[in-house]
Amino acid sequence: MELFHSVMNDTHHLPSLSALRAFVTVVQSGSFTEAARRLFLTQGAISKQIRLLEEHYGTPLLQRHSRQIQPTPSGRTLLPVAQDVVERLKEVERRLKTQTDILSLQVYVTFAVRWLMPRLGSFYQQYPLTQLRMDSMVYEPSELDPSIDQAYILFGRGHWPNMQAELLLAEKLSPVCAPGMLSQLTCLEDLAGQTLFHTTRDYEEWMAWLASQQISSLTQYKHQVVDLHHLAWTAAASGLGVAIGDMALLKDELQQGRLVRPFDTVLETGCGYYLAYPDSYADHPGLQALLSWLRQQAAGDAA
């Protein structure tokens, strides 16, 4: 009980936070009127807080100089301490409130299914207060609005106007097929007549990989276009043809033997999956938690 009274006596002689905040705001703004506007208070309320603070310390803290309010020598002594207290408490309040804010994330369906979702359990173990709201997408939005608090996992070369972007996984392409098809694909020439699965009508991925093998024509192959990589890889695993895929996204299928690589060549395209977000979202603790975790997961894949 004696200790309790001692603590109460110590804290009883501390100035109020409201008074310190009013003092800092008046000094920063240079006027009682502007401080009142910033704090959504009346000018009389600001004046009262300053008067209480001056009574607490027993000395004037502000003076009018050339039509502007400036701190007295005593006020200049108090100012850095008051600023530090106010800023620290603001930071704590922001962190405590935003820890439970929902982090909005848009992500490609294939990336979510093949890479992100199987790993999310470890994310929630590390950051139990962070809540993710995930929206899937098949195609990238035509325009990214940097004024919206929204993070994305996008595919490309890392250049989106007014957005920060950090590479998570570099694209590394190689053909894949069902294990039962390996005997039919002993050399590149064996691809002729096989069905090649594509996710774009321009056959971009296959053309890039075949070009790395000095093959420029696709006329000798059969072609099947689907709208998702996930569908192409599922079809390949069922023995319906040969797909091409990113080695990072197919890691589990390759390790478990559902898919195999008939050829050794892996093409690094210069593209990859990026976490992209506007500057306004950069300080969200949930985003920083997600980014830290994604770095760990990507580094584990690279190793």
Side-chain angles (χ1 to χ4, degrees):
M1 184 63 71
E2 184 176 338
L3 177 61
F4 174 77
H5 284 300
S6 174
V7 171
M8 287 297 293
N9 287 335
D10 288 341
T11 56
H12 177 71
H13 294 291
L14 293 174
S16 76
L17 176 60
S18 297
L20 289 174
R21 185 176 63 169
F23 170 69
V24 168
T25 307
V26 169
V27 174
Q28 290 175 341
S29 64
S31 79
F32 281 75
T33 302
E34 177 60 20
R37 187 189 69 79
R38 293 184 184 183
L39 296 178
F40 302 100
L41 297 172
T42 65
Q43 187 172 339
I46 295 292
S47 298
K48 180 179 179 180
Q49 293 292 344
I50 298 301
R51 184 172 67 254
L52 291 173
L53 197 61
E54 290 178 331
E55 290 175 357
H56 176 86
Y57 287 111
T59 183
L61 299 172
L62 298 171
Q63 61 185 353
R64 185 174 294 279
H65 180 74
S66 299
R67 300 175 63 182
Q68 188 176 34
I69 303 298
Q70 293 185 347
T72 64
S74 296
R76 288 195 293 273
T77 299
L78 174 63
L79 182 60
V81 178
Q83 286 176 323
D84 184 61
V85 169
V86 171
E87 289 305 316
R88 283 174 180 267
L89 287 173
K90 281 183 180 178
E91 176 64 17
V92 169
E93 181 179 24
R94 184 185 68 81
R95 287 186 176 274
L96 290 177
K97 284 185 175 180
T98 57
Q99 270 183 337
T100 55
D101 280 355
I102 296 175
L103 175 65
S104 181
L105 178 69
Q106 282 196 26
V107 57
Y108 285 112
V109 174
T110 297
F111 188 90
V113 171
R114 294 280 175 160
W115 195 89
L116 185 59
M117 295 299 292
R119 293 168 166 81
L120 270 184
S122 70
F123 173 75
Y124 287 122
Q125 286 180 347
Q126 290 185 48
Y127 303 101
L129 295 180
T130 301
Q131 300 180 63
L132 287 179
R133 185 186 68 221
M134 283 196 295
D135 296 312
S136 62
M137 56 183 175
V138 176
Y139 304 107
E140 182 179 315
S142 58
E143 185 175 352
L144 304 179
D145 187 347
S147 67
I148 296 177
D149 287 340
Q150 173 74 62
Y152 306 85
I153 292 181
L154 301 174
F155 179 81
R157 297 185 180 274
H159 305 298
W160 292 276
N162 304 309
M163 303 287 283
Q164 295 189 36
E166 179 166 332
L167 178 64
L168 303 176
L169 297 173
E171 183 180 47
K172 298 178 180 181
L173 294 178
S174 191
V176 291
C177 65
M181 292 187 64
L182 271 182
S183 61
Q184 305 172 40
L185 297 168
T186 58
C187 61
L188 281 174
E189 288 72 19
D190 290 339
L191 276 175
Q194 295 286 351
T195 299
L196 305 187
F197 283 94
H198 306 271
T199 56
T200 59
R201 296 188 180 278
D202 58 8
Y203 305 162
E204 180 181 9
E205 292 175 334
W206 267 112
M207 288 185 67
W209 187 87
L210 288 168
S212 72
Q213 306 301 299
Q214 288 73 54
I215 299 175
S216 58
S217 174
L218 298 182
T219 57
Q220 65 268 44
Y221 310 111
K222 300 176 185 178
H223 304 284
Q224 175 67 58
V225 177
V226 295
D227 62 349
L228 293 174
H229 284 96
H230 180 72
L231 296 179
W233 300 334
T234 300
S238 300
L240 301 179
V242 186
I244 193 164
D246 190 323
M247 296 298 94
L249 301 190
L250 290 172
K251 183 177 180 180
D252 290 343
E253 281 78 2
L254 293 169
Q255 286 181 343
Q256 296 167 14
R258 293 196 296 271
L259 286 170
V260 294
R261 289 171 48 202
F263 309 109
D264 292 333
T265 302
V266 174
L267 175 66
E268 296 190 25
T269 65
C271 294
Y273 289 92
Y274 289 78
L275 180 69
Y277 51 90
D279 289 338
S280 61
Y281 217 25
D283 291 332
H284 190 298
L287 180 66
Q288 293 305 313
L290 178 64
L291 183 54
S292 176
W293 177 79
L294 286 170
R295 287 171 181 153
Q296 295 172 9
Q297 297 298 311
D301 273 13

